[in-house]
Amino acid sequence: SQELEQSPQSLIVQEGKNLTINCTSSKTLYGLYWYKQKYGEGLIFLMMLQKGGEEKSHEKITAKLDEKKQQSSLHITASQPSHAGIYLCGADDNQGAQKLVFGQGTRLTINP
Amino acid sequence: DSGVTQTPKHLITATGQRVTLRCSPRSGDLSVYWYQQSLDQGLQFLIHYYNGEERAKGNILERFSAQQFPDLHSELNLSSLELGDSALYFCASSVTQGRAFFGQGTRLTVV
């Protein structure tokens, strides 16, 4: 089945700095989702990418899908304390089994 | 508020016991997914139901079972509980395959 690997596993950045989180799939990506989770809480949907080369932005967060590399990246510009949390990428299992699987997550800490 | 409701929010129970976790999906959503999240395992897919039928299974233990009722709410039953079953259990719902909305989770502590 499909596996998603995120890097880095954790990230500490100074407030105001830019950062990038990567998500690499073991199989072809047909759709990818980015979620954010505050510790111990539910997941909040950020963005969905469906086509190779697609790029979406929401406020200071931009996500891209590179279908050829089976990879997606999440970029945060001018990070703020409100960006802190765990970022998870998810994808539909492309074997048609309709599993929505997730990477291990990237824990982001923003230092003031 | 995602529109997905999970009850209870917290549950403490002893080893060997059985518990039932409940999930009410967003209005109109036919799919319900269940996940287990523990510190060392990340968010693990357990099972997916669509309009009352099981659609996909992950690494769900035989001690665990789920069902989705005609009103589309779902229950996850965990039996013969072990210490290692302590985790956050999430359900998520979606209209079809695609963007899923997550509940706030049930934190299960087995003592």
Side-chain angles (χ1 to χ4, degrees):
Chain A
S1 60
Q2 187 167 38
E3 292 184 0
L4 299 173
E5 185 174 334
Q6 288 184 235
S7 62
Q9 291 187 358
S10 65
L11 193 53
I12 303 173
V13 301
Q14 202 75 23
E15 182 177 352
K17 297 293 186 184
N18 303 336
L19 63 105
T20 299
I21 299 169
N22 292 306
C23 174
T24 303
S25 173
S26 61
K27 298 187 177 182
T28 302
L29 278 168
Y30 294 104
L32 186 119
Y33 312 92
W34 283 100
Y35 285 82
K36 179 185 175 185
Q37 183 183 25
K38 294 263 182 179
Y39 180 73
E41 298 181 10
L43 279 69
I44 299 168
F45 173 82
L46 294 176
M47 274 172 275
M48 176 173 67
L49 303 167
Q50 290 186 299
K51 300 176 185 176
E54 187 173 12
E55 180 175 323
K56 286 189 177 177
S57 294
H58 175 67
E59 296 179 345
K60 293 185 178 180
I61 301 176
T62 301
K64 300 179 186 179
L65 180 62
D66 186 332
E67 207 171 57
K68 290 182 181 178
K69 291 184 180 179
Q70 297 177 182
Q71 188 176 65
S72 177
S73 60
L74 184 84
H75 185 78
I76 299 177
T77 304
S79 58
Q80 300 169 350
S82 61
H83 289 131
I86 301 170
Y87 290 81
L88 296 104
C89 63
D92 296 319
D93 186 298
N94 55 18
Q95 292 183 344
Q98 301 197 8
K99 299 178 184 180
L100 179 55
V101 296
F102 286 87
Q104 288 288 87
T106 295
R107 184 179 294 270
L108 174 62
T109 303
I110 308 293
N111 283 338
Chain B
D1 182 10
S2 66
V4 178
T5 303
Q6 288 188 247
T7 56
K9 288 186 178 179
H10 302 277
L11 197 50
I12 301 175
T13 189
T15 54
Q17 294 298 305
R18 172 190 166 96
V19 297
T20 298
L21 311 184
R22 182 187 170 102
C23 172
S24 295
R26 292 189 324 150
S27 177
D29 283 359
L30 300 179
S31 275
V32 171
Y33 303 84
W34 284 99
Y35 293 87
Q36 179 191 57
Q37 187 179 43
S38 52
L39 283 174
D40 58 347
Q41 292 287 323
L43 195 65
Q44 298 294 310
F45 169 81
L46 295 178
I47 199 163
H48 170 206
Y49 273 86
Y50 178 82
N51 201 21
E53 293 186 3
E54 181 186 303
R55 278 298 176 94
K57 258 185 177 179
N59 295 323
I60 186 169
L61 299 172
E62 285 191 9
R63 300 184 285 109
F64 295 2
S65 64
Q67 53 184 329
Q68 186 179 27
F69 295 87
D71 67 354
L72 300 178
H73 91 271
S74 179
E75 293 181 355
L76 180 67
N77 300 296
L78 315 175
S79 61
S80 303
L81 285 167
E82 302 175 358
L83 295 177
D85 297 328
S86 296
L88 265 171
Y89 290 85
F90 287 105
C91 80
S93 74
S94 68
V95 176
T96 58
Q97 219 169 347
R99 174 182 173 177
F101 293 82
F102 280 77
Q104 288 299 300
T106 293
R107 183 175 293 279
L108 173 66
T109 303
V110 182
V111 297

